[in-house]
């Protein structure tokens, strides 16, 4: 038996070990409930802090990855804009160069025409000054032609053109080849072939045919009679252009007005009088050089376009990879958030269970607080007798 004293009435009484253990358990249950509530509050606070920290960490990582991808995309867009600008500048440069060369070609043609007109004026003045002895000169020329065979007349025109070319070959056409067409293996040949090279690459080639006719020839030939054969010679000898230098049909203004383009009948073919022999070479040579330069520039532009196309393909590939990585990252975020939600759900379940335990402890504590000596001894004669004895002893 143990003796205890009531803190309220200061009455001392004795209880056995069983009653003492029951009272002690009540006191321990109250302390335990307090500790449980404290630990519950601490666990809830730590869980919330952990969730907030995890969300903040994931958000920071997500923002950093997004900033990195956006930075790469911005760099690629800048490179694409720079490449597009370079391409535009290259095209503008090529267009300006082509326009400038076109103006130069037009100026050259106008200069040639002015020179021709000046030559015609000078020639007209020259012959007007010699009107007095024109009959003598005409008679002399007729006598000269009468003594020549048809072959000799043609050869005289050929020698005339050859002499014109050789006189300016060194200064005007240093990289050109000009000579007789002596290859008759195909059964036909022209008179002369002109070829010019740039960096060992042929840029222009012309097949020439010279036609003259004696005034006393009974059958007068026409320029159109020689065009088909000239076109065949051009194709067989691999020439780009064909030119008929002709004195035939002297009264036909169609041939007397300048350079006649007959490409509507045969491709890249012209008919000229001897005074246009050098100008037609210059015009075709300059046009071919310009075309060759344009082809080189267009090849460069096409190469640049291929680079741009490859760049755009790489950009599209990057976008696809970026999108795929973005989707994977998003899926990872969704999975992480799902797990967080599951953890929150488990914590909520634990919290609910702890609350239920707290309610049970609260109920038990309420019952303990309502416990009195009277209730303990109710319907217990032995305990009543002992408490009575303890009271009397006091």
């Amino acid at each position: 038996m143990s003796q205890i004293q009531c803190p309220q009435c200061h009455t001392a009484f004795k209880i056995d070990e069983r009653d003492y253990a029951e009272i002690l358990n009540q006191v321990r249950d109250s302390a335990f409930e307090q500790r449980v509530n404290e630990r519950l509050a601490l666990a809830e606070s730590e869980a919330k802090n952990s969730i907030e920290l995890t969300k903040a960490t994931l958000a920071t990582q997500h923002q950093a990855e997004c900033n990195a991808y956006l930075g790469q995309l911005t760099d690629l867009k800048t490179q694409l804009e720079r490449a597009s600008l370079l391409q535009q500048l290259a095209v503008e440069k090529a267009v300006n160069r082509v326009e400038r060369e076109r103006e130069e070609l037009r100026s050259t043609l106008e200069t040639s025409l002015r020179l021709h007109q000046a030559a015609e004026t000078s020639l007209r003045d020259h012959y007007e000054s010699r009107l007095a002895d024109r009959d003598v000169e005409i008679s002399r020329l007729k006598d000269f032609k009468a003594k020549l065979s048809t072959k000799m007349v043609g050869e005289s025109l050929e020698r005339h053109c050859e002499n014109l070319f050789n006189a300016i070959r060194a200064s005007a056409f240093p990289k050109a080849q000009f000579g007789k067409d002596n290859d008759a293996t195909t059964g036909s040949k022209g008179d002369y072939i002109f070829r010019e090279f740039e960096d060992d690459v042929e840029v222009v080639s012309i097949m020439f045919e010279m036609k003259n006719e004696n005034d006393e020839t009974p059958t007068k030939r026409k320029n159109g009679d020689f065009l088909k054969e000239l076109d065949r010679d051009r194709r067989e000898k691999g020439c780009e252009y064909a030119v008929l230098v002709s004195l035939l049909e002297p009264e036909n203004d169609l041939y007397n007005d300048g350079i006649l383009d007959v490409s509507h009948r045969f491709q890249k073919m012209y008919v000229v009088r001897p005074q246009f022999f050098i100008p037609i070479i210059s015009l075709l040579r300059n046009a071919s050089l310009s075309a060759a330069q344009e082809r080189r520039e267009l090849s460069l532009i096409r190469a640049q376009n291929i680079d741009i196309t490859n760049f755009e393909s790489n950009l599209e590939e990057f976008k696809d990879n970026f999108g795929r990585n973005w989707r994977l990252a998003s899926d990872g975020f969704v999975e992480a958030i799902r797990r967080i939600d599951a953890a929150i759900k488990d914590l909520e379940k634990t919290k609910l269970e702890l609350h239920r335990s707290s309610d049970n402890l609260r109920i038990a504590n309420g019952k303990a607080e309502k416990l009195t000596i009277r209730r303990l001894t109710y319907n217990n004669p032995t305990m009543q007798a002992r408490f009575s004895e303890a009271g009397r002893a006091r």
Side-chain angles (χ1 to χ4, degrees):
M1 298 292 289
S2 299
Q3 183 174 348
I4 63 174
Q5 185 177 6
C6 177
Q8 299 294 330
C9 62
H10 303 287
T11 301
F13 57 92
K14 293 181 180 181
I15 60 175
D16 58 14
E17 293 180 357
R18 179 174 174 276
D19 294 333
Y20 180 79
E22 185 176 352
I23 293 173
L24 183 60
N25 286 334
Q26 292 177 10
V27 175
R28 287 178 178 175
D29 289 342
S30 177
F32 176 74
E33 180 182 6
Q34 182 179 358
R35 288 197 300 272
V36 167
N37 289 333
E38 291 175 352
R39 294 189 62 181
L40 178 62
L42 179 61
E44 184 176 357
S45 176
E46 290 178 351
K48 289 182 178 180
N49 292 336
S50 177
I51 292 171
E52 294 299 326
L53 179 60
T54 302
K55 286 184 176 180
T57 302
L58 290 176
T60 302
Q61 293 177 354
H62 174 68
Q63 185 63 40
E65 292 178 357
C66 288
N67 291 337
Y69 283 124
L70 289 176
Q72 294 179 12
L73 184 60
T74 301
D75 293 340
L76 289 175
K77 285 183 177 179
T78 302
Q79 294 179 17
L80 179 60
E81 292 174 356
R82 184 182 297 111
S84 178
L85 178 60
L86 292 176
Q87 181 185 11
Q88 182 179 359
L89 292 176
V91 172
E92 291 178 355
K93 181 179 178 182
V95 171
N96 292 335
R97 180 177 298 174
V98 170
E99 291 180 350
R100 184 172 63 254
E101 292 179 352
R102 183 181 61 186
E103 292 300 324
E104 292 176 355
L105 182 62
R106 182 185 292 111
S107 177
T108 301
L109 179 60
E110 292 175 352
T111 301
S112 300
L113 292 176
R114 285 197 298 270
L115 291 175
H116 170 59
Q117 293 173 354
E120 287 183 341
T121 302
S122 176
L123 186 63
R124 184 175 61 252
D125 294 342
H126 173 71
Y127 279 103
E128 286 178 353
S129 66
R130 298 180 58 186
L131 284 176
D133 55 291
R134 67 182 184 281
D135 293 335
V136 177
E137 183 67 17
I138 291 174
S139 298
R140 187 185 67 80
L141 291 174
K142 287 184 177 181
D143 182 64
F144 172 74
K145 288 184 178 181
K147 294 178 181 180
L148 293 176
S149 64
T150 302
K151 182 174 184 300
M152 286 300 296
V153 170
E155 289 180 349
S156 296
L157 179 58
E158 292 177 6
R159 285 197 301 271
H160 170 74
C161 294
E162 186 174 357
N163 291 336
L164 286 176
F165 183 85
N166 290 331
I168 62 171
R169 178 197 291 265
S171 59
F173 307 104
K175 300 180 181 179
Q177 298 176 0
F178 181 76
K180 292 281 293 182
D181 179 17
N182 297 317
D183 183 8
T185 55
T186 60
S188 177
K189 65 183 184 68
D191 288 332
Y192 286 88
I193 295 177
F194 172 89
R195 299 183 187 274
E196 184 160 354
F197 299 83
E198 186 74 25
D199 297 330
D200 297 329
V201 177
E202 182 180 292
V203 295
V204 62
S205 56
I206 309 172
M207 169 66 71
F208 283 100
E209 184 77 16
M210 284 73 169
K211 289 299 177 183
N212 195 1
E213 198 167 53
N214 193 338
D215 290 341
E216 278 72 28
T217 302
T219 303
K220 302 297 182 181
R221 304 292 300 275
K222 294 185 177 182
N223 292 314
D225 299 337
F226 302 96
L227 300 183
K228 184 176 181 180
E229 183 179 358
L230 176 57
D231 180 66
R232 184 182 64 185
D233 294 337
R234 177 189 71 83
R235 288 183 283 105
E236 289 179 351
K237 301 304 169 59
C239 294
E240 183 178 3
Y241 296 97
V243 176
L244 175 63
V245 183
S246 173
L247 287 173
L248 303 181
E249 301 182 64
E251 306 299 328
N252 192 337
D253 292 336
L254 182 64
Y255 301 105
N256 294 334
D257 289 340
I259 298 173
L260 180 62
D261 184 354
V262 292
S263 57
H264 60 284
R265 295 185 58 186
F266 297 97
Q267 184 180 13
K268 294 186 176 182
M269 183 176 292
Y270 301 87
V271 179
V272 300
R273 294 306 188 190
Q275 62 267 29
F276 291 101
F277 172 67
I278 296 299
I280 189 64
I281 295 178
S282 298
L283 290 174
L284 296 179
R285 189 272 301 268
N286 292 338
S288 296
L289 288 176
S290 298
Q293 179 64 23
E294 292 173 9
R295 285 194 295 269
R296 286 193 292 269
E297 292 179 355
L298 289 176
S299 298
L300 177 61
I301 292 174
R302 280 196 295 268
Q304 293 175 345
N305 287 335
I306 292 174
D307 292 339
I308 294 296
T309 302
N310 292 334
F311 180 82
E312 291 177 346
S313 299
N314 293 334
L315 178 59
E316 291 301 325
E317 182 179 359
F318 170 79
K319 288 180 178 179
D320 293 338
N321 293 333
F322 177 80
R324 184 168 59 256
N325 292 334
W326 174 268
R327 290 190 297 272
L328 292 175
S330 298
D331 293 341
F333 289 140
V334 171
E335 177 63 19
I337 292 173
R338 187 188 65 78
R339 292 181 180 179
I340 291 173
D341 291 338
I344 292 173
K345 187 176 180 180
D346 291 338
L347 289 174
E348 291 290 343
K349 183 178 180 181
T350 302
K351 178 180 177 182
L352 179 60
E353 292 176 353
L354 289 174
H355 278 301
R356 289 175 179 173
S357 298
S358 176
D359 291 340
N360 291 329
L361 290 173
R362 181 177 51 79
I363 294 171
N365 184 61
K367 291 181 179 180
E369 289 179 352
K370 294 178 181 180
L371 181 64
T372 63
I373 298 299
R374 180 175 294 178
R375 288 186 177 184
L376 287 174
T377 60
Y378 180 73
N379 290 332
N380 191 338
T382 301
M383 290 301 299
Q384 290 176 358
R386 289 179 180 177
F387 277 110
S388 296
E389 290 176 358
R392 286 192 299 269
R394 183 181 177 189

